Amino acid sequence: MPSVAFYTLGCKVNFYDTEAIWQQFKDEGYDQVDFDSQTADVYLINTCTVTNTGDKKSRQIIRRAVRRNPDAIIAVTGCYAQTSPAEIMDIPGVDLVVGNQDRDKIIPYVNQIKQTREPVNAVRNIMKTRVFEEMDVPDFADRTRAFLKIQDGCNNFCTFCIIPWARGLSRSRDSQSIITQAHQLVEAGYKEIVLTGIHTGGYGDDLDNYDLSSLLWDLDRVDGLERIRISSIEASQIDDRMLDVLNRSSKMCRHFHIPLQAGDDAVLKRMRRKYTTEQFYNKMGRIREAMPDVGITTDVIVGFPGETDEMYRNGYELMKAINFSEMHVFPYSKRTGTPAARMEDQVDEEVKNARVHELLQLSDSMKLAYAQKFEGEVLEVIPEGNAKEDKGTGKLHGYSDNYIQMEFEGSEDLVGELCRVKMTKAGVDASEGQLVRVMDNRAQIII
């Protein structure tokens, strides 16, 4: 039986795409082996290009695969493959480069290369692509929540970001195809679906009279699906129709990841973000009205070119006032090929690091304060496995619907089940809880 090994760099969408490519190899009779500990006939590296470091890491992994088995077919896909195919073809040992489209042709290309041993650069201009690439993932290694890709590409062209050039313009998946796959995932035992994409909230921008709110109502009607989560959404995309879904759907998780990126209007403008701090702040208030106790997490880029101490302070105060439940904080790093990389007044690395440190401390204090609001309350948690630190102690960990990580005592057969757990002690990394009952198809089974 031929074997294939995968290595995925970058975001959740890349991991989804790798799973989809694995399905094709599986259907072709391949066995999947571990990338680092076993030798494979085919190595497939799914690359990332979001930072210059992503490019560098991608090259390192490609070279590692070539060293592992010089006779293997080395195939490279993903964002770095899309933006810099020639750089990758120049790496000795690379046989195939496919970008973020035509991935249904990977198997035919691999079969062709087996015969000819001639390298193939199959990358096309993604900016001309207008159709979503259908790739089903009926099953995941992680048994508790399924990712469902509904969208690809982005129309925003923020000045710090290379992704539109790697992923193309926004393309939505056919709604019927999404609903069909949601039913398949529920039948495979998943109770939570995470809707994912490059610019997930842009779903429907290229469709007639059908948007993300329409899709959420259609998913709301899928029997057996307990929780719907959106991986990330822009504040501007949460309109009145979306707020109505949040208010009335019992399946929407009380958690949103809404990137702020900067808390000062001058910086937002330079980033080419399409909102002001006031608009963002007001939208957070409206979301909390529609869905009380909602957890809102965010992304922040620190030290963007031209960010003065005063601008940074404005951001700090805004983040504190919004009171996120957690922040992902990144120091700005130059991405070659983006307008921001060419801007004057780049911020000193030491200044950036000091700001990152301060914002991470703020994030921890907000995260703890948010969790403390639920001490003594019962939350719905889907256990994902043994608690990270507590191997062998009989503790499980999982996320509540509002994205608080919980640890509690329970047997492994509860993994993937919807449990009601009382929070006994809030924590920054994980909160402690006590199992109250297991829910079975909305019926309650008392433990």
Side-chain angles (χ1 to χ4, degrees):
M1 185 184 274
S3 59
V4 59
F6 296 94
Y7 197 106
T8 307
L9 298 107
C11 65
K12 292 273 194 317
V13 179
N14 262 13
F15 280 88
Y16 179 96
D17 291 346
T18 300
E19 289 277 358
I21 296 165
W22 159 233
Q23 297 297 329
Q24 296 173 28
F25 276 95
K26 195 157 117 184
D27 293 345
E28 192 71 8
Y30 275 76
D31 192 23
Q32 186 176 163
V33 299
D34 183 73
F35 187 91
D36 283 316
S37 62
Q38 291 163 287
T39 308
D41 301 312
V42 179
Y43 288 88
L44 188 131
I45 298 98
N46 195 350
T47 58
C48 175
T49 193
V50 75
T51 61
N52 289 350
T53 315
D55 287 3
K56 189 177 164 191
K57 183 89 193 283
S58 296
R59 288 194 296 271
Q60 286 171 345
I61 300 299
I62 294 163
R63 290 194 182 98
R64 195 196 299 176
V66 174
R67 284 197 301 273
R68 299 252 346 120
N69 181 5
D71 298 326
I73 289 176
I74 309 294
V76 184
T77 186
C79 292
Y80 178 47
Q82 181 64 51
T83 55
S84 310
E87 272 181 32
I88 295 171
M89 290 300 287
D90 282 346
I91 299 173
V94 170
D95 296 289
L96 172 64
V97 183
V98 178
N100 281 322
Q101 54 192 336
D102 300 329
R103 284 175 293 199
D104 55 340
K105 297 179 185 154
I106 286 177
I107 297 286
Y109 280 132
V110 165
N111 292 338
Q112 175 191 322
I113 291 163
K114 276 182 185 169
Q115 304 300 319
T116 64
R117 291 312 300 202
E118 290 290 321
V120 175
N121 176 354
V123 177
R124 292 187 294 123
N125 180 359
I126 201 157
M127 284 304 178
K128 293 181 177 169
T129 299
R130 292 288 180 273
V131 180
F132 181 89
E133 182 182 38
E134 283 287 342
M135 294 200 295
D136 258 11
V137 181
D139 206 351
F140 290 83
D142 172 359
R143 294 293 308 153
T144 52
R145 57 169 97 145
F147 287 89
L148 180 44
K149 184 175 165 187
I150 63 168
Q151 182 277 345
D152 208 335
C154 182
N155 299 345
N156 274 11
F157 294 94
C158 298
T159 55
F160 53 81
C161 186
I162 198 79
I163 291 307
W165 306 106
R167 286 277 175 179
L169 299 174
S170 188
R171 311 180 291 288
S172 304
R173 184 173 183 175
D174 174 68
S175 61
Q176 205 41 60
S177 160
I178 297 171
I179 304 302
T180 302
Q181 201 187 339
H183 281 288
Q184 285 172 351
L185 291 166
V186 169
E187 277 164 35
Y190 295 98
K191 292 189 168 57
E192 179 180 324
I193 285 178
V194 184
L195 301 179
T196 189
I198 293 298
H199 193 59
T200 315
Y203 179 83
D205 284 352
D206 53 342
L207 302 176
D208 289 333
N209 300 321
Y210 193 89
D211 59 9
L212 187 54
S213 301
S214 321
L215 177 65
L216 292 173
W217 280 127
D218 283 344
L219 286 168
D220 186 78
R221 290 191 279 274
V222 173
D223 283 343
L225 178 58
E226 302 281 354
R227 300 206 308 204
I228 303 165
R229 201 183 288 279
I230 299 171
S231 61
S232 179
I233 189 167
E234 295 288 340
S236 58
Q237 291 160 337
I238 301 178
D239 55 13
D240 289 346
R241 291 187 65 230
M242 173 71 74
L243 289 166
D244 180 50
V245 182
L246 308 194
N247 197 354
R248 294 196 296 127
S249 166
S250 62
K251 297 187 179 183
M252 289 300 299
C253 286
R254 289 179 300 170
H255 167 246
F256 284 93
H257 186 76
I258 307 173
L260 171 63
Q261 303 302 15
D264 177 88
D265 288 335
V267 181
L268 287 172
K269 202 167 179 183
R270 285 177 71 124
M271 287 179 164
R272 212 184 287 150
R273 302 290 288 169
K274 296 182 171 71
Y275 48 83
T276 63
T277 52
E278 185 182 5
Q279 287 167 338
F280 193 98
Y281 179 83
N282 291 341
K283 188 61 67 78
M284 298 309 105
R286 293 197 63 199
I287 293 166
R288 285 176 170 139
E289 278 169 30
M291 193 179 248
D293 288 336
V294 62
I296 301 176
T297 55
T298 197
D299 292 330
V300 179
I301 294 172
V302 175
F304 189 77
E307 184 184 70
T308 63
D309 278 339
E310 186 189 354
M311 291 169 187
Y312 165 71
R313 278 285 137 225
N314 291 343
Y316 185 93
E317 293 307 324
L318 178 73
M319 292 164 212
K320 209 163 145 185
I322 291 172
N323 200 12
F324 292 107
S325 56
E326 187 179 2
M327 302 195 297
H328 301 165
V329 184
F330 308 94
Y332 168 75
S333 75
K334 273 189 188 180
R335 179 64 189 80
T336 310
T338 60
R342 298 189 294 275
M343 286 178 182
E344 304 288 319
D345 50 24
Q346 298 282 333
V347 175
D348 182 75
E349 290 300 318
E350 277 184 24
V351 172
K352 274 194 254 189
N353 291 337
R355 290 176 186 173
V356 167
H357 185 68
E358 190 179 23
L359 283 183
L360 286 173
Q361 284 182 317
L362 176 63
S363 173
D364 279 352
S365 66
M366 293 194 293
K367 194 176 175 185
L368 183 61
Y370 178 70
Q372 282 170 336
K373 286 176 26 179
F374 300 94
E375 276 189 344
E377 285 195 29
V378 174
L379 300 170
E380 291 195 348
V381 178
I382 299 179
E384 297 188 4
N386 292 96
K388 292 185 173 71
E389 305 300 319
D390 295 86
K391 291 274 160 46
T393 60
K395 275 194 174 180
L396 300 172
H397 87 98
Y399 287 91
S400 63
D401 70 309
N402 55 345
Y403 215 61
I404 295 174
Q405 182 161 299
M406 300 281 288
E407 293 188 350
F408 58 95
E409 284 184 22
S411 58
E412 277 194 41
D413 56 1
L414 294 180
V415 168
E417 295 299 328
L418 192 64
C419 299
R420 305 209 70 184
V421 179
K422 182 179 182 177
M423 189 192 290
T424 52
K425 187 173 188 293
V428 173
D429 294 322
S431 296
E432 292 170 26
Q434 191 176 359
L435 181 64
V436 178
R437 58 171 72 106
V438 181
M439 315 287 282
D440 182 31
N441 293 332
R442 297 272 172 200
Q444 299 178 0
I445 302 171
I446 307 295
I447 298 289

